[in-house]
Amino acid sequence: MYVAVKGGERAIENAHAWLAEERRGDPGIAEMSIAQIRAQLALAVNRVMAEGSLYDPDLAALAIKQARGDLIEAVFLIRAYRTTLPRLGSSCPIETAQMAVIRRISATYKDLPGGQVLGPTFDYTHRLLDFKLAAEGEMPPPPAPTAPASCEDVPHVTAMLNRDGMIQTELRGTATPPDLTRTPMELPANRALRLQAITRGDEGFILSMAYSTQRGYGRTHAFVGELRIGTVAVAMEIAELGFAVDIGAIEVTECETVNQFTGSKTEPPQFTRGYGLVFGQTERKAIAMSLVDRALRWRELGEDFVGAPAQDEEFVLMHADNVQATGFLEHIKLPHYVDFQAELELVRRLRAEALATQEAAE
Amino acid sequence: MTDQAYNFAYLDEQTKGMIRRAILKGLAVPGYQVPFASREMPMPYGWGTGGVQVTAACLTPEDTLKVIDQGADDTTNAVSIRKFFQRTAGVAVTEATTEASIIQTRHRIPETTLSAGQILVYQVPIPEPLRFLEPRETETRKMHELEEYGLMQVKLYEDIARHGQIATAYAYPVRVEGRYVMDPSPIPKFDNPKLSGSAAIQLFGAGREQRIYALPPYSDVVSLDFDDHPFTASKAAHDCALCGASDSYLDEVITDDAGGRMFVCSDTDFCGGRRAGGHLGALGVAGAL
Amino acid sequence: MNPAALEGGFTNAAVQSAQAFRAALEAMARPGTLQPITGAAPPAPMSPAAGALLLTLCDSTTPVHLAGAHDCAALRDWVTFHCGAPLVGARDASFALGTWEAPQPVDRFAIGLPDYPDRAATLIVETTALGQTGARLRGPGIQTTAALSLPESAAFQANHALFPLGFDCFFACEGQIAALPRSTIVEAA
């Protein structure tokens, strides 16, 4: 006698209970607090904020804890929460020239106004496992003599270049950028929409796309004109007051690349730009973003489409989102036996007919 | 018991309004894929977020909801989606096709003929029937605009050249009211004839791809074919082992590792109803559900 | 703003808009059928049926055109307060409200784009009588034929000729609606 499988609900409840137990792990080991994750896994928190499109380190830390460290799952938790939040308004554009920088480097000049500020970087660490960190009772290292975050405006390298007309001018738009999370993607996209999609796109995907341009698939000869990390004020126009007030501050990473020049008989040669701006200290993503942005600008800058993946707006924008990608990828583990049965039946029939034809021929 | 922490049927009113407008335009242009600002739902893309959003936009407290996956009410994802709406909308649920006012489905159309007053909501992974022939949205949109469906005909014809017949077993493309070519979602082609002339409203939601489309009742839906290779709705050539039905779509169940297998109805409600009505297949048990 | 503008909205928006939408859905899916729709009590001359449609379908993202006698202070305030919809001219409207005579010529309304036919206006036409007699309707949503008391036939025939472009109509009378999508073939009675 055959009895169809039942009890899906009980199976789901059991799976959830088991998952909760696994998430906590050995109860003999102290539980991690949200504050610990926020403070000690800050770069993971930053990535979840950036790709989750929600600036809230505590929620990102909670999501990381709940997701057992699976950052894409954490991004998904943040996104699902974010989508239920009411939209109270839009902030004014942040002024990154007024950033209180903790790190600011330029690859195009040895020294420059505002100075080179190395900041908290892995760049010159030797990647040797530090077994002291594995020791019990780890004490924080003595505070390093850190330069206080710069309080003066640090001018952008590209602005200095632009003073001589050496780099194309970026016009300041007044239009409210489209909101990718509130309107369906429409192609071709404008640059604001592209940048929005890239900044919340998967770090690994954007990294690989950028890397491919460096290896010749849509090369743009990028110099890091400037990379800066720091805190900027967020202001909002309050209609009742008639002026903008600061409502908080966020940490962002900004990268501006100086790229291959263009020019024509009528226009003298000029460098071009790529731009990256990402929540938190996320410089790999910001640099990658600026390269992908630049590669996608081929049309407006009068370059050829050479068929490189990073130049292909539809390809990049439709595949950058890891929540979409992971959902669709993983959904193939759901039952598909109805469709598989349809294929089975078809292939059996095709084989039977092919074999019959073969036999008849012999 | 409704979860008070969320709005009725989870989505906020502005989101539901946006989805509702898309549904109405979809009904006005049958088979045309209306872009909509799909939201991130608390279940992953690929698990039915499009269907869930359409259902959420349609549900009223008076509704009775049925959710099926692969034709069955007890598949885990069907159970999960049903529970989601019990929790967020407090609606009555049923496994009986005839008792449901809204049926959300993945991969099947119920065997029982649907009636006026019912809404069938399909979960759709890739709404664009031309996508596997032309990956670019910018191109396929133009093809729909210009009714340039030659590429699809070529693909089907190549099947015939290679296999002697059209080698598409599910998600078999259809043409709606002589205008738009439409993906019926990955239902087996056995279900295609049920798309046409149905008394129910059929709505299709693709969350990740941000598209909604619709078939009003009694829409004319034709499976693409050729005069010399007409469409056939095929299924495994067996009767259901449990209820004996010869006209329902069957799951193949492997019963041992020596080639033993049996075929049972994919539509669990249909099969149970037949057995309750005294129909017995080779291995069926009277009255068992 | 007239205090009356604050009255007449849904008292339980989530549930009442869901019920009203189902009426709109059934109407649009089955052209020529009459569907009861309730929950709104807008100021005159808007009918309760039209009010429920606006409350359900309009918000700050859907420009609304008020035509003729419906373009009055009481209704402007009511639509602004309850829907938050921007009030615009015919060409920019997602939704338009008025009697059939008021918004003429109707070819001013958006009919969608060849690649985006969904970007078309929805007209909510107030009528003093709504019945299943008059023009003969055929097409999607109709098993054989239906009949509906349309204000005229020629404009709807012209609109259908644009398919898949064209505007879509609701007809509102007291507490009932009917709909006529662009897909419907209209034959004069």
Side-chain angles (χ1 to χ4, degrees), chain A residues 5 13 76 79 83-84 182 185 312 314 324 327-328 335-339 341-342 345 348-349 353, chain B residues 10 37 39-40 43 45 70 74 83 106 136-138 165 169 186 208 210 234 249-252:
Chain A
V5 186
E13 280 164 14
F76 181 17
R79 294 264 195 97
T83 198
T84 65
R182 293 275 138 170
M185 173 88 78
D312 188 331
E314 182 161 351
Q324 289 178 355
F328 197 54
H336 281 77
Y337 54 78
V338 161
D339 292 343
Q341 182 57 38
E345 192 264 332
R348 278 188 186 130
R349 192 150 34 82
E353 284 167 18
Chain B
Y10 183 76
R39 301 292 194 246
E40 266 128 349
M43 62 273 289
Y45 290 117
Q70 313 296 300
D74 60 352
K83 200 168 176 187
R106 177 168 172 263
R136 284 176 198 281
E137 164 70 13
T138 39
Q165 54 188 282
R208 187 180 41 77
Q210 307 188 308
S234 58
Y249 191 76
L250 301 173
D251 294 338
E252 180 174 333

Side-chain angles (χ1 to χ4, degrees), chain B residues 3 20 33 70 103 131 209 278:
Chain B
D3 195 324
R20 287 165 178 162
Q33 303 162 51
Q70 313 296 300
I103 302 170
R131 183 62 69 234
E209 297 280 339

Side-chain angles (χ1 to χ4, degrees), chain A residues 178-354:
Chain A
D179 184 343
L180 184 58
T181 66
R182 293 275 138 170
T183 45
M185 173 88 78
E186 189 182 333
L187 299 165
N190 64 25
R191 190 171 176 218
L193 191 64
R194 291 198 306 249
L195 289 170
Q196 201 175 113
I198 301 170
T199 195
R200 76 201 299 259
D202 182 75
E203 180 174 311
F205 178 84
I206 303 301
L207 168 65
S208 292
M209 282 290 124
Y211 176 49
S212 72
T213 69
Q214 291 181 292
R215 290 197 64 261
Y217 289 84
R219 184 148 184 245
T220 62
H221 307 268
F223 295 96
V224 172
E226 178 168 352
L227 175 75
R228 55 170 69 191
I229 305 173
T231 308
V232 290
V234 178
M236 198 170 151
E237 207 75 57
I238 306 292
E240 288 79 358
L241 300 178
F243 55 86
V245 294
D246 282 359
I247 55 170
I250 59 173
E251 185 185 46
V252 294
T253 303
E254 183 185 53
C255 178
E256 288 191 283
T257 52
V258 178
N259 297 72
Q260 70 190 11
F261 52 84
T262 59
S264 63
K265 287 203 178 89
T266 52
E267 294 195 26
Q270 225 181 8
F271 289 109
T272 58
R273 309 175 188 228
Y275 188 72
L277 183 74
V278 188
F279 280 159
Q281 183 176 346
T282 42
E283 66 184 68
R284 179 188 302 122
K285 175 75 169 286
I287 299 169
M289 177 175 173
S290 60
L291 263 61
V292 175
D293 168 52
R294 178 60 186 80
L296 289 171
R297 301 182 72 188
W298 61 270
R299 200 191 304 266
E300 64 180 284
L301 297 173
E303 297 167 344
D304 290 332
F305 177 73
V306 298
Q311 287 183 307
D312 188 331
E313 171 181 285
E314 182 161 351
F315 183 83
V316 173
L317 298 194
M318 297 305 279
H319 301 110
D321 190 292
N322 55 23
V323 177
Q324 289 178 355
T326 201
F328 197 54
L329 178 102
E330 292 195 46
H331 108 280
I332 64 172
K333 70 193 171 189
L334 295 182
H336 281 77
Y337 54 78
V338 161
D339 292 343
F340 182 66
Q341 182 57 38
E343 291 261 279
L344 264 183
E345 192 264 332
L346 174 69
V347 174
R348 278 188 186 130
R349 192 150 34 82
L350 293 175
R351 283 177 61 83
E353 284 167 18

Side-chain angles (χ1 to χ4, degrees), chain C residues 3-9 41-43 78 81-82:
Chain C
L6 309 182
E7 308 289 323
W78 194 82
F81 178 76
H82 289 281

Side-chain angles (χ1 to χ4, degrees), chain C:
Chain C
M1 186 181 282
N2 188 324
L6 309 182
E7 308 289 323
F10 287 146
T11 51
N12 181 352
V15 168
Q16 286 173 301
S17 68
Q19 290 161 336
F21 172 67
R22 282 293 278 281
L25 178 76
E26 287 291 331
M28 192 59 84
R30 303 172 197 280
T33 62
L34 308 183
Q35 307 289 339
I37 185 169
T38 57
M46 199 196 299
S47 66
L53 281 177
L54 284 181
L55 291 177
T56 303
L57 298 175
C58 298
D59 58 33
S60 59
T61 66
T62 57
V64 170
H65 175 66
L66 298 175
H70 285 73
D71 188 16
C72 60
L75 284 187
R76 284 196 295 266
D77 287 351
W78 194 82
V79 170
T80 303
F81 178 76
H82 289 281
C83 305
L87 299 176
V88 297
R91 284 177 207 288
D92 302 318
S94 299
F95 288 85
L97 175 70
T99 60
W100 179 245
E101 294 73 27
Q104 298 295 335
V106 287
D107 61 11
R108 294 177 301 159
F109 291 101
I111 57 169
L113 304 170
D115 50 345
Y116 288 96
D118 53 299
R119 296 179 185 174
T122 303
L123 277 50
I124 301 172
V125 180
E126 299 267 27
T127 64
T128 50
L130 196 55
Q132 292 181 294
T133 56
R136 248 162 56 106
L137 313 181
R138 288 185 293 118
I142 302 166
Q143 190 165 17
T144 50
T145 61
L148 189 63
S149 52
L150 297 178
E152 65 166 294
S153 296
F156 301 108
Q157 289 164 346
N159 187 50
H160 172 73
L162 300 169
F163 188 88
L165 305 187
F167 54 77
D168 308 296
C169 292
F170 282 106
F171 298 93
C173 177
E174 296 169 6
Q176 278 193 317
I177 55 169
L180 192 76
R182 65 191 92 169
S183 60
T184 303
I185 301 160
V186 176
E187 291 166 22

